[in-house]
Amino acid sequence: MSEWVDACAVDDVEEEDLIRFDHDGKTFAIYRSPDDDFFATDGICTHEHALLADGLVMDYIIECPKHNGRFDYRTGEAKGAPVCVNLKTYPVKVEDGRVFIDVA
Amino acid sequence: MAKRDYSLIGPNASRAVETGLASAEWYHTDISRKEMKALMKRSDGPAIRDTIVWLGGMAAFAGAAAWLWPSLWSIPFFLAYGVLYGSAGDSRWHECGHGTAFKTRWMNDAVYQIASFTMMRNPVTWRWSHARHHTDTIIVGRDPEIVVMRPPDLLRLALNFFGILDVWHAVIDMARNAAGIISAEEKTFVPEQEQPKAIFVARIWVAIYAATAAAAVYTGSILPFLLIGGPRLYGAWHHVMTGLLQHGGLAEDVTDHRLNSRTVHMNPVSRFIYWNMNYHVEHHMFPMVPYHALPKLHEMIKHDLPAPNTSILDGYREMFPAFLRQLRYEDYFIKRELPPTAKPYRAEFHDVAPQAAE
Ligand code: FES
């Protein structure tokens, strides 16, 4: 069962950047890629407790602000030490200038 | 009072977890996302330039030293080579371990591997130990990289200016890892799936040192060891001199880097060797900022930090008397004054560090 949630406006996220989105006690990260596509993952690193929204987006990589762990935010794949566990990703759609994520 | 126990598997390790000191929320100076993004921006240029100077300098000094060997004229060249090998290697290991030195991934990884070898730090084990150092900076029982434990062991520090104990431990660790054994302490911070990689690297290194030994026997000369391995001893002094200043004499068990880290202004040669890690409060607060942007970060947040020490000598003038005092009163530490423009230290930090210095 899908559960689409209105996360933000398209313009809330700069190109090659991300923002934090909280919903139902959970933190997500919403990304805007260099090609203007949107993606969503869990907002907390899988290594320790760190908000990915404070990290750095480089192409399709999000680098965690705490120990520089890196993930591919399109797939959630952990790209090497100190992150070993993949990030959960969520489907995203853009409608009428709004970004929706499926949190189900 | 019972002696401090710095073991990662001792009672202080569980105490830090119980009291919430482990993996705690740390103080950060406010800085806008826009400014931080500009500071975090990666580039290859500065690190490529510095790496050409570093490796080029090593090749030139090693070549000259080997050419002049065994004449005494070789000594200055060995000394310069040694500092690039056994001290500049430390900061390259550090920055490339964070992955911030270069924009291009493989360049970070390549320099990280070279510097790990020169510093005799297993690139797998030490990556994890350094992550823990950032999560739990100078938290007793949690941080595996506390260099000066209280009361300070001054003999140990003196020996390490020539890498003696570090190399001794490094050789034991390498031999143990090469034999396929991961110690109990290493297991506390290196995940199981990473452990075989640590063993693999240790075996390659053993092979390199075996080849160096064979070359020394074959040529009947110690020259191969003066070029490989040896510089970790005779060239270590600069990284120990600067490294001690990072946290020496400051607070333990606090969650504000302004209380446990030190920023020191330094001459340009030391800053090249140290790759700007003299901005140590800034680095710990914002580890995503590459070394070349740290002076800029310092300018932006210095209103919120204790005044930096004005030179290496000034840092030692502050730190060394604190070491001497800690020999008698191990709870003593230097509590650095904040400027009036800074946010005060939060009360809870004082509570976890009740024995503030005068
Ligand atoms: S918390 Fe993200 S890399 Fe450690």
Side-chain angles (χ1 to χ4, degrees), chain B residues 20-336:
Chain B
L21 268 174
S23 307
E25 278 297 322
W26 286 66
Y27 176 79
H28 291 98
T29 301
D30 289 335
I31 189 157
S32 74
R33 170 81 186 154
K34 194 166 174 240
E35 288 171 317
M36 189 39 68
K37 261 173 70 179
L39 286 163
M40 291 190 293
K41 203 165 171 48
R42 302 294 153 76
S43 54
D44 285 331
I48 289 178
R49 177 200 64 208
D50 289 350
T51 303
I52 289 172
V53 174
W54 178 50
L55 295 179
M58 275 170 63
F61 289 131
W67 178 259
L68 292 164
W69 172 259
S71 146
L72 290 182
W73 291 108
S74 64
I75 291 176
F77 295 97
F78 275 120
L79 292 180
Y81 171 69
V83 168
L84 293 179
Y85 185 113
S87 283
D90 171 62
S91 55
R92 275 66 185 167
W93 163 81
H94 176 263
E95 278 300 287
C96 295
H98 279 283
T100 50
F102 297 87
K103 182 172 189 204
T104 307
R105 199 76 205 123
W106 71 262
M107 294 186 190
N108 266 307
D109 292 343
V111 173
Y112 181 68
Q113 291 296 333
I114 295 169
S116 295
F117 176 77
T118 68
M119 296 312 294
M120 299 188 180
R121 292 177 190 151
N122 188 298
V124 180
T125 314
W126 278 74
R127 193 189 286 279
W128 289 94
S129 88
H130 197 65
R132 175 69 77 80
H133 172 61
H134 271 269
T135 303
D136 294 324
T137 312
I138 320 296
I139 302 291
V140 177
R142 292 285 297 179
D143 184 349
E145 294 184 7
I146 299 182
V147 178
V148 189
M149 299 173 181
R150 297 191 215 160
D153 184 343
L154 298 182
L155 178 64
R156 187 179 149 262
L157 295 184
L159 290 175
N160 259 344
F161 269 82
F162 304 99
I164 292 169
L165 295 178
D166 276 353
V167 168
W168 174 246
H169 291 301
V171 168
I172 292 173
D173 289 347
M174 179 175 71
R176 189 189 55 247
N177 288 162
I181 300 164
I182 303 288
S183 73
E185 292 228 338
E186 286 166 350
K187 281 181 185 163
T188 69
F189 52 83
V190 185
E192 212 173 329
Q193 69 268 36
E194 293 282 303
Q195 292 169 10
K197 293 185 197 161
I199 292 169
F200 177 69
V201 174
R203 288 178 178 160
I204 292 179
W205 288 10
V206 167
I208 294 173
Y209 289 117
T212 309
V217 171
Y218 182 73
T219 58
S221 161
I222 60 161
L223 181 60
F225 277 113
L226 289 176
L227 295 173
I228 297 173
R232 178 62 181 82
L233 295 164
Y234 66 78
W237 63 272
H238 190 281
H239 97 269
V240 177
M241 174 183 74
T242 50
L244 286 178
L245 289 169
Q246 293 178 353
H247 308 283
L250 302 174
E252 289 176 340
D253 290 349
V254 291
T255 53
D256 186 335
H257 295 111
R258 299 175 302 174
L259 279 167
N260 68 10
S261 307
R262 183 186 276 108
T263 289
V264 182
H265 286 312
M266 284 182 189
N267 67 78
V269 175
S270 287
R271 273 180 49 195
F272 171 78
I273 295 168
Y274 197 22
W275 252 13
N276 280 345
M277 272 309 115
N278 51 309
Y279 296 104
H280 215 65
V281 181
E282 294 83 348
H283 166 66
H284 267 279
M285 239 187 224
F286 301 106
M288 300 280 285
V289 175
Y291 76 96
H292 48 79
L294 286 176
K296 198 164 167 210
L297 172 62
H298 170 73
E299 286 304 316
M300 289 164 78
I301 66 171
K302 65 181 180 191
H303 63 276
D304 199 35
L305 310 183
N309 292 94
T310 53
S311 65
I312 294 175
L313 187 62
D314 180 56
Y316 271 81
R317 282 202 178 123
E318 175 188 73
M319 180 176 72
F320 200 68
F323 286 166
L324 294 180
R325 204 157 163 194
Q326 284 172 348
L327 289 175
R328 278 181 298 146
Y329 311 105
E330 66 174 77
D331 288 331
Y332 175 79
F333 64 91
I334 302 158
K335 190 161 145 233
R336 315 182 82 218

